[in-house]
């Protein structure tokens, strides 16, 4: 599986160490309360389970899935419609009056996160935060308040720890940049919001 890896950005050990630190930060911030982790399928599953184990306060977990439609590339291209997002599978439980932390694999343009924040905020949680494994602020188009993040990453398409390329590589234990030769031309630009990038 590693033959198409160009470069390892973060080893399994580095990710685990950072997840432990962020788990401790979260535990301190929400001390004395219960926390609901809301994961976005499928990319955040690997991170969420590791994070949940690094948190020492009581946690509940729930998941939603999203799909994108109707978009095209947004990078530096005036006039293009950004990818639209909708909920394909909703949470199982209400979040009213709960402390909710939205757990993401990566915040890239910010469109997905903003949509989810707005949707979840409308359900009356006691608080609503964002925790992401990866943050690619260099490509942000809409601003979203990221409360916790493990790593800032450069403008390259990455896989591993839940992030996929055509549904593969999610189980790679490091976070890696794929060899551009292994990518379709349209994903050399990571802004392409088509379905296989969820
Ligand atoms: P955003 O709406 O542009 O912030 O896109 C976020 C989603 O795009 C993430 O949840 C991922 O599913 C996908 N994505 C963005 N960049 C990458 C990447 O480098 N590798 C794999 N998936 C990515
Ligand atoms: Mg995703």
């Amino acid at each position: 599986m590693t033959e198409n890896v160009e470069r390892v950005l973060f080893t399994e050990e580095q990710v685990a160490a950072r997840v432990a630190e962020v788990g401790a930060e979260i535990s301190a911030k929400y001390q004395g309360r219960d926390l609901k982790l809301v994961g976005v399928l499928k990319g955040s599953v690997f991170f969420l389970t590791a994070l949940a184990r690094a948190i020492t306060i009581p946690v509940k977990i729930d998941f939603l899935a999203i799909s994108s439609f109707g978009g095209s590339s947004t990078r530096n291209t005036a006039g293009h419609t950004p990818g639209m997002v909708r909920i394909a599978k909703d949470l199982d439980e209400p979040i009213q009056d709960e402390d909710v932390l939205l757990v993401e694999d990566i915040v890239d343009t910010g469109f997905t996160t903003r949509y989810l924040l707005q949707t979840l905020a409308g359900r009356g949680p006691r608080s609503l935060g964002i925790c992401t494994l990866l943050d690619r602020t260099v490509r942000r188009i809409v601003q979203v308040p990221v409360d916790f993040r493990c790593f800032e990453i450069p403008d390259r398409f990455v896989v591993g720890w839940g992030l996929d390329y055509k549904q593969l590589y999610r189980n790679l234990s490091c976070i890696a940049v794929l060899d551009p030769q292994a990518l379709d031309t349209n994903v050399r630009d990571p802004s392409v919001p088509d379905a296989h990038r969820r």
Side-chain angles (χ1 to χ4, degrees):
M1 187 165 62
T2 52
E3 69 260 25
N4 291 327
V5 165
E6 177 190 284
R7 178 160 63 101
V8 172
L9 281 185
F10 306 106
T11 64
E12 180 172 12
E13 293 72 25
Q14 286 172 321
V15 180
R18 186 67 192 122
V19 170
E21 285 176 3
V22 171
E25 277 177 46
I26 291 169
S27 306
K29 175 163 175 193
Y30 293 92
Q31 192 65 47
R33 297 190 251 161
D34 292 1
L35 181 63
K36 180 170 279 183
L37 302 178
V38 165
V40 186
L41 296 171
K42 311 175 183 103
S44 76
V45 167
F46 292 73
F47 173 47
L48 184 143
T49 57
L51 183 69
R53 281 177 276 133
I55 293 175
T56 52
I57 59 168
V59 292
K60 298 177 183 175
I61 64 172
D62 204 346
F63 293 96
L64 52 76
I66 49 178
S67 56
S68 52
F69 59 93
S72 58
S73 175
T74 50
R75 172 154 47 187
N76 299 331
T77 322
H80 280 205
T81 327
M84 306 289 282
V85 188
R86 68 174 179 83
I87 291 184
K89 176 233 172 284
D90 208 338
L91 298 174
D92 289 335
E93 306 284 342
I95 54 169
Q96 185 156 14
D97 298 327
E98 294 191 277
D99 290 299
V100 174
L101 193 58
L102 179 63
V103 180
E104 294 262 30
D105 53 356
I106 181 167
V107 181
D108 187 30
T109 62
F111 282 112
T112 308
T113 308
R114 184 179 65 173
Y115 169 79
L116 291 174
L117 270 188
Q118 287 173 345
T119 304
L120 296 176
R123 300 180 187 186
R126 179 173 177 217
S127 68
L128 181 57
I130 303 173
C131 177
T132 189
L133 174 62
L134 304 178
D135 196 352
R136 202 193 274 119
T137 52
V138 67
R139 284 184 18 89
R140 197 75 92 249
I141 295 172
V142 295
Q143 297 309 313
V144 287
V146 173
D147 300 279
F148 305 94
R149 70 154 171 229
C150 293
F151 302 103
E152 170 78 43
I153 61 161
D155 193 3
R156 297 293 308 276
F157 191 83
V158 298
V159 293
W161 268 81
L163 290 112
D164 72 304
Y165 173 61
K166 294 188 172 178
Q167 299 300 331
L168 292 172
Y169 302 102
R170 292 192 196 276
N171 60 329
L172 197 64
S173 55
C174 61
I175 294 172
V177 173
L178 274 192
D179 183 347
Q181 304 291 322
L183 298 178
D184 291 346
T185 42
N186 69 344
V187 279
R188 289 182 197 156
D189 177 349
S191 68
V192 178
D194 56 13
H196 69 244
R197 294 186 43 234
R198 292 282 151 220

